[in-house]
Amino acid sequence: DFIDAIPTGSTLYDIGGSTGIFAMYAACSGCRVAAFEPEAANFSVLSHNAFLNRGGMQYPAQCFNLALSDRTGLSNMYIKKYEAGGHLKILGQPKEVGASDTFEPEHVQQVLTFTLDDFLAHTQLPAPEYIKIDVDGSELLVLQGLSGVLRSPRLKSVFIELEESKSDT
C-alpha cells in the first residue's frame, strides 16, 4: 500500500533493499528509485533484478552497494548464513534484533557506511520524497544519519519495518 500511494515520478529511497522486491515494484510503477543494500550476495541479486526489469521502468533503478548509517566510514556486516536472499545480516555486531546473545557468523563482510546526508552531498542525487527502511536493528542509526533529509520539505513520508515482537525495537 505504501508504494501504491506514491505518485508516478516521485523519488523513493529503499534503505535495506535486500534483493529488490520493493524497489523493482516501485520502479516498475513509475517511481525514481535508489536502493541501498550493503550485503554482497543480496546486492548481486538486487542489481540483477534491476537489469531484468529495466524494460518495465520509466526511470532506471539506481542500486548502491553500501550501508546507510549514523556515520561515514567502514563497518562490519555479520552474516549468520551466507546466502542470497537470506536474513540475519547485521551491521556492527553479530546479534539478532532483540536478542541478548550473539551469534557465530558464517561470514563477516566489510562495508562502506555513509550517512544519507553525506551521500547526498557527495553524489548530487535528488533527495528522497519517500523512504522505506528495513535494516534489521539499525533503524535508529539510519535515522540519525539522515537528519538533514528529515528536515527537508521535499520529504513526504517514511515507512520503517520493525519487528514488533521484540521489546527493544
Side-chain angles (χ1 to χ4, degrees):
D1 291 342
F2 174 72
I3 293 171
D4 288 337
I6 299 174
T8 300
S10 297
T11 303
L12 167 70
Y13 279 23
D14 184 352
I15 301 172
S18 188
T19 59
I21 293 170
F22 294 107
M24 296 310 110
Y25 179 73
C28 289
S29 296
C31 292
R32 300 171 191 269
V33 174
F36 300 86
E37 175 53 49
E39 196 275 324
N42 282 355
F43 180 78
S44 176
V45 176
L46 167 68
S47 185
H48 191 91
N49 280 333
F51 169 76
L52 292 174
N53 286 283
R54 70 194 183 283
M57 298 176 191
Q58 185 175 353
Y59 311 99
Q62 296 178 294
C63 302
F64 300 98
N65 189 202
L66 57 92
L68 294 177
S69 191
D70 65 333
R71 64 181 182 82
T72 296
L74 287 174
S75 189
N76 287 327
M77 172 142 308
Y78 296 90
I79 303 165
K80 190 167 188 176
K81 185 173 181 187
Y82 191 55
E83 63 183 353
H87 298 283
L88 287 176
K89 300 171 180 201
I90 309 297
L91 189 66
Q93 60 182 338
K95 188 172 152 183
E96 294 181 43
V97 177
S100 58
D101 296 331
T102 60
F103 62 82
E104 185 64 35
E106 188 173 84
H107 180 62
V108 178
Q109 175 192 322
Q110 285 197 312
V111 297
L112 290 170
T113 63
F114 279 87
T115 68
L116 183 53
D117 294 339
D118 283 351
F119 184 79
L120 290 173
H122 285 88
T123 62
Q124 304 302 312
L125 289 172
E129 295 168 280
Y130 298 87
I131 299 174
K132 178 209 138 252
I133 301 172
D134 181 1
V135 291
D136 295 338
S138 296
E139 295 84 0
L140 182 58
L141 299 177
V142 170
L143 291 169
Q144 289 170 337
L146 54 85
S147 59
V149 170
L150 289 173
R151 287 191 300 273
S152 170
R154 180 174 165 85
L155 184 65
K156 295 173 178 48
S157 184
V158 178
F159 179 91
I160 304 175
E161 180 180 299
L162 298 173
E163 189 171 339
E164 292 182 46
S165 64
K166 303 295 183 184
S167 61
D168 66 343
T169 56

